[in-house]
Amino acid sequence: MRDITRALDSLRKHESGWPKRSMLSFSEFLQEVVAHPTRIIRNVLQVYADMINTFVSEGVDEYSDDPESIRYMSFDCSRLFVENSDRPFFADRLFANRLMRHVEALSVGAQQNKIYIFEGPHGSGKSTFLNNLLRKFEEYANTPEGRRYEVVWRLKRDQAVNAPQSLASLTDRLAWLIESKGGSDKNSSDKEGCADENDPTAYFDVPCPSHDNPFLIIPKDVRRRFFDELFENDKFKWHLFTEKKYEWVFEESPCTICTSIFQNLLKLHDDPLKVLEFVYARPFSVNRRLGEGISVFNPGDAPLRQNVHHNEVIQRNLDTQFCPSRPVSFLYSSFAKTNNGIYALMDIKSHNTARLMELHNIISDGVHKVEDIEERVNSLFFALMNPEDRKVITDLQAFSDRIEFINVPYILDLKTEVEIYREIFGRHIDESFLPRVLHNFARVIIATRLRTRSEAMLEWIPDPSKYELYCDNHLQLLKMEIFTGFIPPWLTEEDVASFTAKRRMKIIAESEKDGWKGLSGRDSIKLFNEFYTLYGKDDKLIDMSMLGKFFRKYCKEDRDILPMGFLDSLQRMYNYAVLQEVKESLYYYNEEQIAREIQNYLFAVNFELGSVERCTYTGERLEISEAFFQRFESRLLIGARDAAAFRSNIQKTYATVTLTQEILRDNLPITRTTLYQYLHERYVHNLKEKVLEPFLKNENFRRAIKDYNEESFKTYDRKIQDDIHFLMDNLHRKHGYSRQGAKEICIYVIDTNLAGAFAGT
């Protein structure tokens, strides 16, 4: 026989990980309330909001210093939807902001029953989203941080009277007599009605089927005064008595069963404090599989034959306790099990259509009829819906103000689309692509999901053709960048200045209408699999020519899937981006020399031509002449015709702002002033634009790049070797190119003469 002792020992050790639901007396519960008020005094809406705020990182605004920022935040939702999930859901930036606005609305203001319908097209991930959300809610609700308490009545078995007539069968009457006899014998000496905790037969428990918070047992008319005495005058007490989100604390009543028990005990003891001795609290355990705290219905789930639940044992004990009138009926519906929890419908069709209709009165009035009893229901109601199913609710006009739609369209944020590919196919796929090409695959997919015409974009940029070297005619590529929270550097200063908060809000608001057509999430994964299988080889990195070839073939099969000319525009935007990367990687400058030239220029504009002065910033002796000014202004691409006006504006700004305000008043060094930073940025930008010119005319430079990492590379002169080493290292370090990728992209930039194509831009 095999020794199983060690196996059993491991099970014993795991026992500590099993959930424990220790009971607290009402006074012990109040101590918990005082110690953790924000945790204990929460309804389901507040727990849900706290759960999401716990798992979602604080948002990041990359343009927080921009006065026109609309706080379009970057939220990391991976802990909520991805970690430890069998089927992760990836929330793009648009949906994450939508979700957090929804949560913020729940966290403030008066709360009322609503049904939140998450609407999206087929394949948008709605079911995955809701399943992961409910899984995290269940996980959070069963932790100390998410714990709430529910009422349990602990009643004595010392109120035996004649067997009630309602127990018609002989078996029931005998069982009642045995239980009543045993209970009365063991507790006959206890005249005060307090159960002996050490004798499990001395009392019976009646859990609240509606999961009421124990403090709701306190009568409403004294609840404000009670909490005023319970809490010190601290920050939480101020929030409790002043904020709308806590109004429910003073307005809600306990369920009908708890109310009946309270009233009957009050009749027996004539002392509310004595009644509270029968009130206990235990953690509210949420279990989706048992339907406790979370109930989820699929369209194919048939309705229950009987929606009224009861417990014969508890009812028998209540009859014994409060006979002969039997005023307490232990009856409740399935909705009670999700009171203070979540009730969810997966797709509004088939049987779920009837369930939605049944929710009409519950959501509107907050009550549900169970035989003769009115049952109060305050739950969080969720539903999923496809656009074609909206007709189900069109006839419920009175229901409309209680419905809130939250869109779950296809992914519109290219970063999130790429994360999906990495999750499904592995992060090693990046090694098969030249930088930017993988993201350009995502851009093509997202382009199929965007509407061709955008009124908000055209209001901002009426003439898209001026950006034809960087963007498409419909500004979809620009819109994608904005959806990711990025403002491209190729926009003119005028357009950046006119990109006001109002315009940003309009563009983001338009996203509600995008993502309802085009390639679904499942379609994009299938397409990426085909593309990667075809071109993901070990000997060559996937480049833009492969991507263009693949999608042009696909567009021949479906000509309406992409706007005309989109792939050409994507290629031009890619060309501009890689040209900037190569220029920046090749650019080497002496920062000290640039700083001296700018400071000398700012000093010199204050003097007449022909003057000889010593610069107070650099200490250099300056011969101030037209040639002196032209040398510097040529670096900024200032032509002779504009030189005088430019110089005059610089001198005026220096005298009125830089010197008098920033240097003398604010005690800033010249290098930290706004005017200096402006000239520095323009100076460096123009130097980078011209950095390739000497190399493009040198055939040895191209050959040396092709021979890089080969033995023949050593035959080139030291200057070319140093320049190419510098270029390759920067492409690798700053822009993520592999050695092979850096070599390929340099040859591509030179052979396609990208510098010439974008000259003067």
Side-chain angles (χ1 to χ4, degrees):
M1 296 289 290
R2 184 175 178 84
D3 185 7
I4 63 172
T5 305
R6 293 178 63 184
L8 293 174
D9 284 343
S10 66
L11 190 61
R12 186 178 294 109
K13 292 175 182 176
H14 180 69
E15 187 179 25
S16 61
W18 292 349
K20 296 181 176 63
R21 294 214 287 170
S22 57
M23 298 271 277
L24 301 177
S25 67
F26 192 73
S27 60
E28 291 171 332
F29 167 73
L30 290 181
Q31 292 296 334
E32 281 286 298
V33 174
V34 172
H36 308 286
T38 56
R39 194 180 74 193
I40 306 298
I41 304 180
R42 291 185 294 181
N43 61 10
V44 64
L45 301 182
Q46 291 164 318
V47 173
Y48 167 71
D50 289 346
M51 179 272 295
I52 291 182
N53 287 324
T54 297
F55 287 114
V56 177
S57 65
E58 187 175 346
V60 176
D61 183 2
E62 298 90 341
Y63 298 95
S64 57
D65 295 333
D66 186 346
E68 298 294 335
S69 172
I70 58 171
R71 293 187 60 77
Y72 176 54
M73 313 290 279
S74 174
F75 293 101
D76 182 1
C77 298
S78 58
R79 290 182 60 214
L80 182 62
F81 297 126
V82 177
E83 287 184 9
N84 303 319
S85 173
D86 295 332
R87 294 187 61 195
F89 172 81
F90 291 88
D92 70 0
R93 186 163 181 153
L94 290 159
F95 178 74
N97 276 266
R98 209 174 287 136
L99 178 67
M100 297 311 289
R101 286 197 302 271
H102 153 68
V103 170
E104 186 178 359
L106 291 178
S107 302
V108 296
Q111 297 167 341
Q112 58 178 350
N113 271 346
K114 280 187 176 183
I115 182 165
Y116 298 93
I117 297 181
F118 295 92
E119 184 181 23
H122 294 279
S124 63
K126 300 186 299 297
S127 298
T128 304
F129 153 74
L130 187 54
N131 278 318
N132 287 351
L133 187 71
L134 297 178
R135 178 178 60 84
K136 280 297 183 181
F137 180 85
E138 181 177 356
E139 175 187 321
Y140 176 76
N142 293 321
T143 63
E145 293 74 20
R147 180 181 298 160
R148 289 173 293 158
Y149 286 88
E150 61 185 358
V151 170
V152 177
W153 293 92
R154 180 158 286 186
L155 304 175
K156 278 189 59 184
R157 298 179 186 270
D158 64 345
Q159 303 293 328
V161 294
N162 292 331
Q165 296 303 312
S166 59
L167 301 179
S169 73
L170 178 61
T171 303
D172 286 346
R173 294 173 70 84
L174 285 173
W176 177 86
L177 285 171
I178 293 170
E179 292 177 2
S180 175
K181 179 67 174 174
S184 60
D185 287 347
K186 292 179 182 179
N187 297 284
S188 58
S189 61
D190 186 359
K191 301 301 183 182
E192 295 301 317
C194 293
D196 181 359
E197 295 285 345
N198 297 318
D199 184 1
T201 63
Y203 57 85
F204 65 94
D205 290 343
V206 182
C208 173
S210 296
H211 309 292
D212 279 338
N213 194 309
F215 68 68
L216 293 182
I217 299 300
I218 300 167
K220 283 200 297 184
D221 57 344
V222 298
R223 213 175 283 170
R224 281 187 176 274
R225 189 167 70 252
F226 179 85
F227 281 123
D228 188 30
E229 297 292 339
L230 184 66
F231 294 114
E232 295 181 2
N233 294 325
D234 57 8
K235 185 176 181 180
F236 173 77
K237 183 176 177 180
W238 186 83
H239 289 307
L240 178 66
F241 280 87
T242 59
E243 292 187 3
K244 287 283 187 180
K245 70 176 182 179
Y246 286 114
E247 282 187 352
W248 67 274
V249 174
F250 306 104
E251 294 177 357
E252 280 194 16
S253 301
C255 74
T256 306
I257 294 172
C258 289
T259 300
S260 299
I261 293 174
F262 181 89
Q263 291 173 347
N264 277 278
L265 288 173
L266 192 60
K267 289 178 183 177
L268 288 174
H269 299 283
D270 197 27
D271 183 358
L273 290 180
K274 189 64 180 177
V275 173
L276 292 178
E277 291 180 8
F278 297 95
V279 177
Y280 281 73
R282 71 179 180 187
F284 178 3
S285 180
V286 175
N287 190 317
R288 172 178 172 173
R289 295 181 68 184
L290 297 178
E292 291 291 343
I294 297 177
S295 288
V296 182
F297 296 94
N298 291 302
D301 295 336
L304 296 173
R305 294 181 180 178
Q306 180 63 39
N307 193 32
V308 178
H309 301 276
H310 65 282
N311 184 305
E312 286 291 348
V313 174
I314 291 177
Q315 186 64 65
R316 189 180 304 125
N317 283 319
L318 288 172
D319 291 345
T320 303
Q321 187 82 353
F322 300 118
C323 276
S325 58
R326 192 187 175 184
V328 180
S329 297
F330 195 75
L331 297 176
Y332 60 94
S333 73
S334 298
F335 291 109
K337 300 182 74 175
T338 54
N339 188 54
N340 285 317
I342 297 177
Y343 183 97
L345 303 177
M346 292 284 189
D347 287 334
I348 307 300
K349 46 175 57 92
S350 188
H351 295 303
N352 277 352
T353 303
R355 290 188 178 99
L356 179 66
M357 299 304 175
E358 188 180 11
L359 288 178
H360 178 252
N361 287 335
I362 295 175
I363 292 175
S364 297
D365 303 325
V367 294
H368 175 62
K369 201 75 170 178
V370 183
E371 293 187 354
D372 296 330
I373 296 172
E374 266 195 359
E375 184 177 77
R376 180 182 49 81
V377 181
N378 286 315
S379 301
L380 191 51
F381 297 101
F382 288 149
L384 302 181
M385 179 180 285
N386 295 317
E388 62 270 21
D389 297 326
R390 269 215 182 202
K391 59 182 181 293
V392 172
I393 59 175
T394 53
D395 297 331
L396 293 175
Q397 293 299 323
F399 203 18
S400 60
D401 64 329
R402 296 286 186 158
I403 296 176
E404 185 172 318
F405 287 96
I406 302 168
N407 291 339
V408 191
Y410 297 138
I411 297 295
L412 298 176
D413 175 352
L414 64 98
K415 292 180 181 178
T416 307
E417 184 74 15
V418 168
E419 278 301 308
I420 294 174
Y421 304 150
R422 288 170 176 159
E423 172 68 23
I424 294 174
F425 298 96
R427 294 195 169 270
H428 66 277
I429 61 174
D430 287 87
E431 300 170 5
S432 300
F433 288 82
L434 279 172
R436 297 183 177 274
V437 177
L438 177 57
H439 287 75
N440 281 345
F441 185 97
R443 285 183 172 94
V444 177
I445 297 296
I446 292 171
T448 69
R449 302 168 179 171
L450 295 176
R451 292 170 304 138
T452 304
R453 183 176 177 83
S454 169
E455 298 297 338
M457 294 294 290
L458 290 173
E459 178 190 313
W460 175 31
I461 303 174
D463 181 19
S465 63
K466 67 179 179 179
Y467 292 122
E468 63 180 355
L469 291 177
Y470 323 107
C471 195
D472 59 294
N473 291 333
H474 303 290
L475 300 174
Q476 287 185 327
L477 289 169
L478 175 56
K479 196 174 190 180
M480 289 181 209
E481 298 299 309
I482 293 169
F483 282 172
T484 65
F486 180 64
I487 301 175
W490 41 261
L491 288 172
T492 64
E493 292 182 9
E494 293 78 14
D495 285 335
V496 172
S498 65
F499 193 34
T500 60
K502 184 178 180 181
R503 285 201 168 118
R504 298 180 195 192
M505 292 290 288
K506 280 187 177 181
I507 293 170
I508 297 301
E510 272 197 351
S511 68
E512 301 288 343
K513 300 176 183 177
D514 288 317
W516 298 86
K517 66 176 186 67
L519 295 170
S520 70
R522 288 187 284 266
D523 293 335
S524 69
I525 291 168
K526 179 183 176 183
L527 211 59
F528 184 85
N529 185 47
E530 293 177 16
F531 178 70
Y532 188 66
T533 302
L534 184 60
Y535 293 108
K537 311 298 181 184
D538 293 333
D539 58 336
K540 186 167 176 56
L541 296 173
I542 299 174
D543 59 24
M544 283 297 294
S545 65
M546 301 172 186
L547 185 143
K549 182 178 180 181
F550 179 82
F551 278 109
R552 282 187 172 86
K553 180 181 177 182
Y554 187 83
C555 288
K556 288 180 180 178
E557 301 171 5
D558 186 352
R559 295 186 179 277
D560 297 328
I561 196 68
L562 280 173
M564 186 70 69
F566 178 83
L567 291 174
D568 294 330
S569 299
L570 182 64
Q571 180 71 58
R572 289 194 297 270
M573 189 179 78
Y574 172 80
N575 289 346
Y576 173 80
V578 297
L579 176 63
Q580 303 312 307
E581 289 173 345
V582 171
K583 284 181 176 181
E584 184 179 327
S585 299
L586 189 57
Y587 175 59
Y588 177 80
Y589 59 91
N590 187 323
E591 179 62 43
E592 290 184 9
Q593 178 63 31
I594 294 174
R596 284 198 304 272
E597 290 191 25
I598 296 174
Q599 291 175 76
N600 287 338
Y601 182 79
L602 286 174
F603 177 80
V605 293
N606 296 285
F607 297 92
E608 298 291 335
L609 293 175
S611 302
V612 177
E613 301 290 341
R614 187 169 297 277
C615 179
T616 57
Y617 303 118
T618 66
E620 296 181 13
R621 182 174 177 274
L622 307 179
E623 295 183 4
I624 302 170
S625 63
E626 190 66 33
F628 169 86
F629 286 127
Q630 286 180 357
R631 278 196 303 272
F632 181 82
E633 289 160 358
S634 65
R635 305 275 208 287
L636 306 183
L637 301 183
I638 304 298
R641 184 186 307 173
D642 302 320
F646 177 80
R647 214 173 296 161
S648 175
N649 288 335
I650 293 294
Q651 192 280 326
K652 183 178 179 180
T653 303
Y654 175 84
T656 59
V657 178
T658 305
L659 181 61
T660 57
Q661 296 181 26
E662 295 182 294
I663 296 177
L664 297 178
R665 186 191 67 188
D666 300 334
N667 202 28
L668 290 178
I670 184 73
T671 54
R672 288 184 56 194
T673 62
T674 305
L675 185 56
Y676 176 92
Q677 296 294 336
Y678 164 74
L679 292 176
H680 183 275
E681 182 180 345
R682 187 163 178 173
Y683 190 112
V684 171
H685 172 77
N686 290 321
L687 283 181
K688 287 181 181 179
E689 288 300 306
K690 295 182 178 181
V691 71
L692 271 176
E693 290 182 4
F695 299 103
L696 292 174
K697 299 172 184 177
N698 187 345
E699 182 60 28
N700 279 344
F701 185 73
R702 182 188 183 281
R703 286 199 300 268
I705 288 176
K706 293 191 69 173
D707 292 338
Y708 182 67
N709 272 349
E710 305 290 340
E711 189 65 27
S712 56
F713 182 72
K714 298 178 182 178
T715 63
Y716 294 91
D717 65 64
R718 175 55 59 183
K719 178 68 168 67
I720 286 183
Q721 287 188 47
D722 290 343
D723 287 337
I724 293 178
H725 275 303
F726 182 76
L727 170 61
M728 297 297 177
D729 288 343
N730 280 336
L731 284 170
H732 173 68
R733 181 168 50 85
K734 294 181 178 180
H735 303 293
Y737 285 87
S738 64
R739 300 299 178 187
Q740 178 188 352
K743 189 174 176 178
E744 288 184 18
I745 206 65
C746 288
I747 293 173
Y748 173 76
V749 167
I750 293 173
D751 285 356
T752 54
N753 190 26
L754 294 188
F758 290 93
T761 62

